[in-house]
Amino acid sequence: RDFQTVVEEVSRYIASMTTYFVLEDLDHLRKNGRLTGALALVTEALRIKLLMGATPEGQIKRVAQALSIKQALSRMVNLMAADPGHAGKLLSIVHCNNLDRAFYVRELVQKTCRFKDILISEARGVTTVYANDGGIVVAY
């Protein structure tokens, strides 16, 4: 395949991906300008955990909120299960220093979703700056 064909295929693949994440702390997203200060402060003050996602343009959006991490993760898995486009795809679960939480998400997913395979990996590099300890990011 020529270079242009590969670029087009990869671009289509990226555009078709769905990304969700649940973080313990939104402070780094606020400091890096990826989240409004007001939203970060309100969620911190009320101790709300946000389920976040990505827009097609790569912006961060609030998808749902919950009173605990486990509730937010459960909502995330319910959204994936309700998406008929997930069936047969590869699910990537990335954790930031919390393998137990990644296994918990995998367990929920295996009960309700039809992914072809599930890959668990540890966050590295710049991802750790945004995800912070305990953060979970999923993509399919």
Side-chain angles (χ1 to χ4, degrees):
R1 296 183 183 165
D2 65 42
F3 179 76
Q4 187 60 36
T5 302
V6 172
V7 168
E8 289 170 5
E9 287 180 16
V10 170
S11 296
R12 275 194 301 275
Y13 179 77
I14 290 170
S16 74
M17 287 182 67
T18 300
T19 303
Y20 294 118
F21 58 93
V22 177
L23 308 180
E24 284 282 353
D25 181 358
L26 300 174
D27 198 44
H28 285 292
L29 289 178
R30 181 187 58 78
K31 287 179 182 176
N32 289 302
R34 301 280 293 163
L35 188 67
T36 66
L39 181 59
L41 292 174
V42 168
T43 58
E44 188 176 308
L46 298 176
R47 295 194 173 133
I48 294 171
K49 297 301 179 188
L50 296 180
L51 167 56
M52 308 292 278
T55 68
E57 300 79 29
Q59 299 299 312
I60 293 174
K61 67 177 180 176
R62 182 177 64 86
V63 176
Q65 60 192 40
L67 297 176
S68 71
I69 287 284
K70 284 195 172 188
Q71 286 178 350
L73 294 173
S74 179
R75 287 187 182 184
M76 177 177 70
V77 172
N78 288 340
L79 283 173
M80 290 188 288
D83 175 5
H86 86 273
K89 286 188 169 183
L90 170 69
L91 173 67
S92 175
I93 302 172
V94 178
H95 70 92
C96 190
N97 297 322
N98 201 328
L99 185 58
D100 289 341
R101 189 169 286 161
F103 286 152
Y104 173 76
V105 171
R106 181 180 67 184
E107 183 179 315
L108 292 177
V109 165
Q110 287 173 327
K111 291 178 184 176
T112 59
C113 297
R114 297 177 312 174
F115 286 102
K116 175 178 66 176
D117 201 3
I118 300 170
L119 173 68
I120 294 177
S121 56
E122 189 171 0
R124 297 273 192 243
V126 74
T127 305
T128 62
V129 173
Y130 288 111
N132 260 348
D133 281 346
I136 294 287
V137 180
V138 299
Y140 61 93

